[in-house]
Amino acid sequence: MKKINLTAMLLGLSVFAGAVYADVDLKSKDEVQGAWKLQYTKNSLTDKQAIDREDTWVFKDGKLTILHIPREGKFYDQPPVNYEVEEGKLKIALVGNSRFDIFSLVEIDDKSMTLKGKFGGYYYFNKK
């Protein structure tokens, strides 16, 4: 009997724990407007190893430009791509492609923003 109660309790906690990290629906492009410094990324919320980043994402007039991307000891800027808000998610065009990358907004305030990629990676930004 104790095993059944313990199992039920753990199942109940797992349901509520998922709600803590619920995504926030974006209502318009204006919510992400501006320059955001990408501080680090993680493969999951519980991942202990963060990957430091150096790029800046600039959202302006329906275009996203990613600046200062490190590659092979040098830095480059990505050309602007279109972005839009669709069904509460951030839909960003891929350079030279007809496909899109989809991000969910985890949290945002005046100074920071966290995005979750469609494959579960988390992106932690600070407002510039």
Side-chain angles (χ1 to χ4, degrees):
M1 191 64 151
K2 289 182 181 181
K3 288 182 182 179
I4 292 173
N5 288 339
L6 180 61
T7 303
M9 216 166 44
L10 288 174
L11 180 62
L13 286 174
S14 68
V15 168
F16 291 114
V20 171
Y21 297 109
D23 298 335
V24 177
D25 280 345
L26 280 168
K27 293 166 188 58
S28 74
K29 294 178 183 180
D30 295 336
E31 292 180 75
V32 295
Q33 285 283 356
W36 296 89
K37 171 85 169 95
L38 182 54
Q39 298 297 314
Y40 60 92
T41 61
K42 286 185 172 184
N43 291 328
S44 70
L45 281 176
T46 57
D47 193 359
K48 297 201 187 299
Q49 185 174 15
I51 300 166
D52 290 332
R53 298 288 295 264
E54 300 179 40
D55 38 321
T56 298
W57 294 27
V58 181
F59 295 91
K60 183 177 178 184
D61 301 327
K63 300 277 186 189
L64 167 64
T65 306
I66 302 178
L67 307 172
H68 202 258
I69 303 167
R71 179 171 288 161
E72 299 174 5
K74 298 181 181 180
F75 296 93
Y76 75 99
D77 297 341
Q78 174 184 299
V81 294
N82 294 327
Y83 76 93
E84 56 190 61
V85 172
E86 189 174 283
E87 297 180 8
K89 299 192 183 309
L90 190 60
K91 186 176 174 182
I92 301 173
L94 297 174
V95 174
N97 208 319
S98 61
R99 293 183 289 172
F100 290 86
D101 217 349
I102 309 278
F103 294 89
S104 301
L105 181 65
V106 176
E107 64 181 346
I108 191 168
D109 60 34
D110 293 340
K111 297 179 182 177
S112 64
M113 171 173 69
T114 304
L115 297 176
K116 180 175 75 172
K118 64 183 171 185
F119 298 113
Y122 287 81
Y123 298 72
Y124 297 87
F125 296 87
N126 285 333
K127 186 85 175 213
K128 282 187 95 174

XYZ file of all heavy atoms in Angstrom, residues 4-46:
328
model
N 2.101 2.212 -3.498
C 1.070 2.839 -4.334
C 0.928 4.313 -3.966
O 0.850 5.177 -4.847
C -0.280 2.096 -4.182
C -0.161 0.700 -4.802
C -1.405 2.878 -4.850
C -1.368 -0.176 -4.563
N 0.899 4.624 -2.669
C 0.796 6.017 -2.225
C 2.009 6.827 -2.678
O 1.870 7.967 -3.128
C 0.657 6.093 -0.702
C -0.707 5.638 -0.228
O -1.651 5.628 -0.997
N -0.786 5.253 1.026
N 3.198 6.252 -2.538
C 4.411 6.937 -2.953
C 4.410 7.191 -4.456
O 4.740 8.290 -4.917
C 5.640 6.118 -2.551
C 6.993 6.711 -2.921
C 7.188 8.060 -2.229
C 8.115 5.757 -2.568
N 3.996 6.206 -5.227
C 3.925 6.356 -6.678
C 2.930 7.440 -7.062
O 3.201 8.277 -7.923
C 3.527 5.013 -7.332
O 4.456 4.005 -6.943
C 3.495 5.129 -8.846
N 1.780 7.443 -6.424
C 0.766 8.460 -6.714
C 1.264 9.858 -6.365
O 1.032 10.819 -7.103
C -0.516 8.151 -5.949
N 1.973 9.959 -5.243
C 2.502 11.249 -4.826
C 3.562 11.751 -5.819
O 3.562 12.915 -6.206
C 3.114 11.143 -3.426
C 2.897 12.362 -2.599
S 3.224 12.155 -0.841
C 4.720 11.255 -0.752
N 4.454 10.880 -6.241
C 5.486 11.269 -7.204
C 4.879 11.655 -8.552
O 5.315 12.619 -9.180
C 6.497 10.141 -7.387
C 7.433 9.900 -6.218
C 8.296 8.670 -6.465
C 8.288 11.109 -5.948
N 3.863 10.942 -8.966
C 3.182 11.280 -10.217
C 2.520 12.647 -10.110
O 2.621 13.476 -11.015
C 2.147 10.212 -10.566
C 1.353 10.437 -11.845
C 2.300 10.454 -13.044
C 0.304 9.367 -12.017
N 1.895 12.921 -8.982
C 1.265 14.226 -8.761
C 2.278 15.352 -8.754
O 2.056 16.414 -9.335
N 3.417 15.160 -8.113
C 4.467 16.173 -8.100
C 5.029 16.426 -9.485
O 5.322 17.562 -9.847
C 5.594 15.761 -7.157
C 5.302 15.889 -5.673
C 6.452 15.307 -4.850
C 5.075 17.335 -5.291
N 5.178 15.385 -10.282
C 5.727 15.581 -11.633
C 4.777 16.393 -12.499
O 5.210 17.173 -13.340
C 6.036 14.235 -12.288
O 4.840 13.525 -12.561
N 3.485 16.247 -12.295
C 2.505 17.034 -13.051
C 2.626 18.513 -12.684
O 2.664 19.382 -13.550
C 1.072 16.520 -12.795
C 0.041 17.497 -13.338
C 0.896 15.146 -13.407
N 2.738 18.818 -11.395
C 2.834 20.209 -10.951
C 4.199 20.809 -11.238
O 4.318 21.992 -11.489
C 2.498 20.328 -9.467
C 1.053 20.071 -9.171
C 0.667 18.972 -8.433
C 0.072 20.915 -9.665
C -0.655 18.727 -8.169
C -1.263 20.683 -9.419
C -1.627 19.581 -8.667
N 5.253 20.016 -11.217
C 6.594 20.532 -11.502
C 6.685 21.024 -12.937
O 7.345 22.003 -13.227
C 7.636 19.457 -11.232
N 6.008 20.361 -13.860
C 6.001 20.806 -15.249
C 5.327 22.155 -15.417
O 5.696 22.948 -16.271
N 4.358 22.450 -14.600
C 3.638 23.725 -14.699
C 4.494 24.899 -14.245
O 4.278 26.018 -14.670
C 2.361 23.657 -13.865
N 5.492 24.653 -13.414
C 6.357 25.721 -12.925
C 7.123 26.364 -14.078
O 7.359 27.553 -14.099
C 7.328 25.173 -11.860
C 8.377 26.199 -11.500
C 6.564 24.728 -10.621
N 7.506 25.567 -15.066
C 8.294 26.056 -16.190
C 7.433 26.252 -17.439
O 7.899 26.061 -18.543
C 9.446 25.096 -16.489
C 10.404 24.984 -15.347
C 10.481 23.835 -14.575
C 11.218 26.057 -15.003
C 11.364 23.740 -13.509
C 12.096 25.980 -13.938
C 12.159 24.819 -13.205
O 13.019 24.731 -12.157
N 6.201 26.632 -17.265
C 5.299 26.828 -18.394
C 5.772 27.998 -19.243
O 6.298 28.982 -18.745
C 3.883 27.075 -17.888
N 5.580 27.849 -20.536
C 5.958 28.902 -21.464
C 4.978 30.061 -21.373
O 3.816 29.897 -21.025
C 5.969 28.358 -22.889
C 6.989 27.252 -23.090
O 7.975 27.226 -22.338
O 6.789 26.427 -23.993
N 5.472 31.246 -21.730
C 4.673 32.463 -21.752
C 4.344 32.732 -23.218
O 5.219 32.663 -24.079
C 5.478 33.653 -21.167
C 4.683 34.931 -21.251
C 5.915 33.350 -19.755
N 3.091 33.032 -23.504
C 2.707 33.346 -24.882
C 3.119 34.763 -25.235
O 2.822 35.702 -24.499
C 1.191 33.213 -25.071
C 0.750 31.775 -25.250
O 1.609 30.910 -25.510
O -0.464 31.514 -25.141
N 3.803 34.909 -26.366
C 4.106 36.232 -26.903
C 2.848 36.772 -27.570
O 2.132 36.037 -28.244
C 5.221 36.147 -27.945
C 6.635 36.053 -27.432
C 7.593 35.687 -28.558
C 7.053 37.368 -26.817
N 2.593 38.039 -27.379
C 1.421 38.655 -27.991
C 1.776 39.465 -29.224
O 0.996 39.578 -30.149
C 0.698 39.510 -26.964
C 0.084 38.666 -25.844
C -0.316 39.531 -24.666
C -0.743 38.724 -23.480
N 0.212 37.782 -22.964
N 2.989 40.046 -29.235
C 3.408 40.848 -30.382
C 4.930 40.893 -30.470
O 5.632 40.549 -29.519
C 2.857 42.270 -30.273
O 3.558 43.004 -29.301
N 5.416 41.368 -31.607
C 6.855 41.519 -31.828
C 7.468 42.546 -30.885
O 8.653 42.495 -30.578
C 7.120 41.971 -33.268
C 6.758 40.962 -34.308
C 7.017 41.556 -35.681
C 6.611 40.618 -36.771
N 6.863 41.173 -38.096
N 6.655 43.492 -30.431
C 7.150 44.565 -29.561
C 7.733 44.048 -28.252
O 8.595 44.690 -27.659
C 6.031 45.566 -29.251
C 5.565 46.306 -30.487
O 6.355 46.409 -31.453
O 4.411 46.769 -30.499
N 7.285 42.898 -27.793
C 7.758 42.364 -26.514
C 9.247 42.016 -26.535
O 9.891 42.032 -25.494
C 6.949 41.131 -26.124
C 5.508 41.449 -25.785
C 4.736 40.207 -25.411
O 4.952 39.710 -24.290
O 3.937 39.745 -26.234
N 9.792 41.693 -27.703
C 11.203 41.308 -27.787
C 12.061 42.361 -28.479
O 13.265 42.160 -28.651
C 11.375 39.944 -28.506
C 10.750 38.833 -27.694
C 10.829 39.990 -29.913
N 11.479 43.485 -28.865
C 12.219 44.548 -29.560
C 13.455 44.961 -28.771
O 13.431 45.022 -27.545
C 11.343 45.793 -29.747
C 10.315 45.684 -30.813
C 10.862 45.836 -32.230
O 12.024 46.102 -32.467
N 9.988 45.633 -33.179
N 14.522 45.258 -29.487
C 15.730 45.756 -28.850
C 16.902 44.823 -29.042
O 16.840 43.838 -29.771
N 18.009 45.142 -28.373
C 19.232 44.347 -28.438
C 19.344 43.491 -27.179
O 19.232 43.996 -26.061
C 20.442 45.268 -28.562
N 19.588 42.210 -27.370
C 19.691 41.247 -26.286
C 21.028 40.512 -26.390
O 21.310 39.876 -27.393
C 18.555 40.231 -26.356
C 17.204 40.815 -26.172
C 16.390 41.320 -27.142
C 16.503 40.970 -24.944
N 15.223 41.766 -26.591
C 15.262 41.568 -25.239
C 16.801 40.661 -23.620
C 14.325 41.865 -24.259
C 15.864 40.953 -22.641
C 14.642 41.542 -22.968
N 21.840 40.601 -25.345
C 23.129 39.913 -25.284
C 22.887 38.484 -24.813
O 22.361 38.261 -23.719
C 24.060 40.655 -24.310
C 25.341 39.928 -23.998
C 26.397 40.193 -25.031
C 27.752 39.693 -24.574
N 28.097 38.387 -25.016
N 23.254 37.519 -25.651
C 23.112 36.116 -25.288
C 24.252 35.751 -24.341
O 25.416 35.724 -24.736
C 23.121 35.231 -26.532
C 22.938 33.738 -26.322
C 21.677 33.420 -25.524
C 22.910 33.028 -27.667
N 23.926 35.508 -23.085
C 24.936 35.222 -22.063
C 25.427 33.773 -22.134
O 26.612 33.518 -22.113
C 24.373 35.493 -20.670
C 23.975 36.929 -20.435
C 25.154 37.867 -20.524
O 26.205 37.600 -19.959
N 24.997 38.945 -21.249
N 24.458 32.835 -22.177
C 24.817 31.421 -22.225
C 23.621 30.603 -22.664
O 22.490 31.094 -22.692
C 25.349 30.928 -20.867
C 24.388 31.053 -19.721
C 23.543 30.004 -19.372
C 24.328 32.215 -18.964
C 22.668 30.122 -18.311
C 23.460 32.345 -17.898
C 22.623 31.291 -17.574
O 21.747 31.415 -16.533
N 23.891 29.348 -23.028
C 22.839 28.404 -23.376
C 23.015 27.148 -22.530
O 24.103 26.878 -22.012
C 22.887 28.026 -24.871
O 24.142 27.418 -25.157
C 22.677 29.239 -25.763
N 21.923 26.406 -22.402
C 21.934 25.115 -21.710
C 21.094 24.145 -22.538
O 20.132 24.553 -23.181
C 21.318 25.222 -20.319
C 22.165 25.907 -19.289
C 21.463 25.826 -17.948
C 22.323 26.315 -16.820
N 21.641 26.125 -15.530
N 21.445 22.873 -22.468
C 20.683 21.864 -23.190
C 19.339 21.560 -22.532
O 18.420 21.084 -23.192
C 21.490 20.577 -23.337
C 22.659 20.763 -24.283
O 22.587 21.532 -25.235
N 23.748 20.078 -24.011
N 19.235 21.810 -21.232
C 17.986 21.609 -20.494
C 18.025 22.489 -19.248
O 19.069 23.032 -18.898
C 17.820 20.141 -20.089
O 18.753 19.799 -19.088
N 16.882 22.618 -18.589
C 16.831 23.428 -17.370
C 17.711 22.856 -16.266
O 18.256 23.593 -15.456
C 15.394 23.541 -16.861
C 14.502 24.535 -17.572
C 13.086 24.455 -17.028
C 15.034 25.942 -17.434
N 17.856 21.550 -16.239
C 18.621 20.903 -15.167
C 20.089 20.694 -15.539
O 20.858 20.215 -14.713
C 17.989 19.542 -14.811
O 17.946 18.736 -15.994
C 16.592 19.729 -14.248
